[in-house]
Amino acid sequence: MIDDMLRTPEAIRDAERWTAHNYHPLPVVITSAEGCWLTDVDGRRYLDCLAGYSALNFGHRHPTLIAAAHAQLDRLTLTSRAFVHDQFADFCRELAELCGKDLVLPMNTGAEAVETGIKVARKWGYQVKGVAPGRANIVVAEGNFHGRTTTIVSFSTDADARADFGPYTPGFTVVPYGDLAALTAAIDENTVAVLIEPIQGEQGVVVPPEGYLPGVRRVCTEQDVLFIADEIQSGLGRTGATFACDHEGVVPDMYLLGKALGGGIVPVSAVAADADVLGVLRPGQHGSTFGGNPLACAVATEVVRLLATGEFQRRSAELGDRLHAGLRSLLGRGLVAVRGRGLWAGLDIDPTLMSGREACERLAERGVLAKDTHGATIRLAPPLVITEAEIDHAVAQLAAVLAG
Ligand SMILES: *Cc1c(COP(=O)(O)O)cnc(C)c1O
């Protein structure tokens, strides 16, 4: 087909003409999708190995989730929290049960869940721990990614994410990720929380050393500090368990959830914690017009039910072994490192071969979509409904790209 018969170039030109350039997407224009497969405006098909940064853990348009959305669209979509609606209690109860926590506070985006966690931790610090007014501090990790609000980028260590967005919100101490001694040393009487990702997704699927998470749990308990686990990307089946913390038998005081919670249909995020923590919020102190709306709850309740079967966690663990074995076979053949857990992998490409961006562009030409994060690092996070054959296909295409 000659180039000017394709719809893709014009669609990209139009998109660039009318939007802020805060993303640098791969040059594909998607028009429909099902399961693990995407179709672009020119009819080309792609295997989705990003899954919306884990917002699509159940694949595109999972039938159960789509049916729940359709049914809810025909009954009730929004009330605001000024009134209670009939989808609210089931969602909150079932998610609280999945998390093993007393209470849930629903929001919309991941960043809002993080902001909620920060606000709750500070209030808890003043009201329960007895921190002096205005002195609450939260310990975070280098290389973190927790979202894009002004407060959250204040404690980012990524120059692009942070530069020129100040003045920055105070009250955060950054320590190296995976270093328990540094974290312990950073805690003092004003520390209200440790906020970390149990696996750092954006940083390149960085798994902390074994024993780190249990160590964080122990130190937080000893020092009367809340352990907040940002499981927005690592949670809900991605790593082969419901939560990445589960792999080390760790239970944080607060789970921050998002991405896959909305089933790839609507933005749904949540904070889950026990009553002694989330109970510090009283009416008027926090909220969201769309948080916990009926459509979101109807979809997210079905997400929680899919997870309650354990099937997706199992698939992720089993198929993840296959994915990682395939990727490890490329070490020394274009890959210099492979990290991750379950159906989640960070790959470092030999930087003398090509950049991560170039690898992703070449993968796209071969019908596999993935995304680079930093430099020569690519993240793979396919929908958990991917099959063995599809994994083998993705690995084969990567091998071909790396072979030049
Ligand atoms: C994506 C992400 C967020 C932010 O979520 P948004 O919905 O984009 O605001 C926060 N924390 C982690 C670990 C994430 O991966």
Side-chain angles (χ1 to χ4, degrees), residues 63-278:
T64 306
L65 304 178
I66 292 294
H70 276 301
Q72 193 59 38
L73 279 171
D74 288 336
R75 290 201 299 122
L76 176 73
T77 56
L78 192 66
T79 55
S80 84
R81 295 284 307 276
F83 317 123
V84 183
H85 62 78
D86 63 2
Q87 301 297 306
F88 192 67
D90 279 350
F91 166 60
C92 294
R93 176 175 50 77
E94 292 183 37
L95 181 58
E97 285 170 0
L98 185 79
C99 296
K101 295 294 184 191
D102 295 340
L103 302 174
V104 159
L105 195 167
M107 298 292 285
N108 310 285
T109 64
E112 288 174 305
V114 175
E115 289 277 351
T116 302
I118 291 168
K119 287 174 72 176
V120 167
R122 287 178 171 179
K123 209 174 209 15
W124 173 90
Y126 298 124
Q127 297 197 339
V128 180
K129 181 168 175 170
V131 170
R135 302 296 298 275
N137 192 65
I138 295 175
V139 177
V140 297
E142 257 169 44
N144 70 73
F145 183 84
H146 297 288
R148 301 291 195 172
T149 67
T150 46
T151 285
I152 293 170
V153 301
S154 293
F155 58 87
S156 171
T157 57
D158 174 347
D160 283 339
R162 187 172 192 273
D164 294 335
F165 296 125
Y168 301 110
T169 307
F172 300 93
T173 303
V174 183
V175 297
Y177 187 64
D179 182 341
L180 187 62
L183 182 132
T184 307
I187 291 176
D188 64 19
E189 74 275 11
N190 295 323
T191 308
V192 295
V194 169
L195 165 61
I196 54 168
E197 299 151 85
I199 294 177
Q200 288 188 328
E202 212 63 27
Q203 186 60 15
V205 194
V206 175
V207 182
E210 204 181 320
Y212 177 66
L213 297 174
V216 173
R217 173 68 280 176
R218 192 174 57 248
V219 170
C220 285
T221 302
E222 283 166 10
Q223 305 285 330
D224 196 21
V225 164
L226 298 177
F227 180 0
I228 306 177
D230 181 344
E231 294 253 17
I232 289 168
Q233 195 168 154
S234 59
L236 308 184
R238 174 51 59 192
T239 65
T242 304
F243 302 109
C245 285
D246 295 349
H247 292 286
E248 297 213 49
V250 163
V251 179
D253 297 297
M254 213 189 281
Y255 290 106
L256 308 181
L257 303 173
K259 293 205 163 96
L261 191 55
I265 300 175
V266 276
V268 186
S269 68
V271 172
D274 280 338
D276 58 336
V277 175
L278 265 183

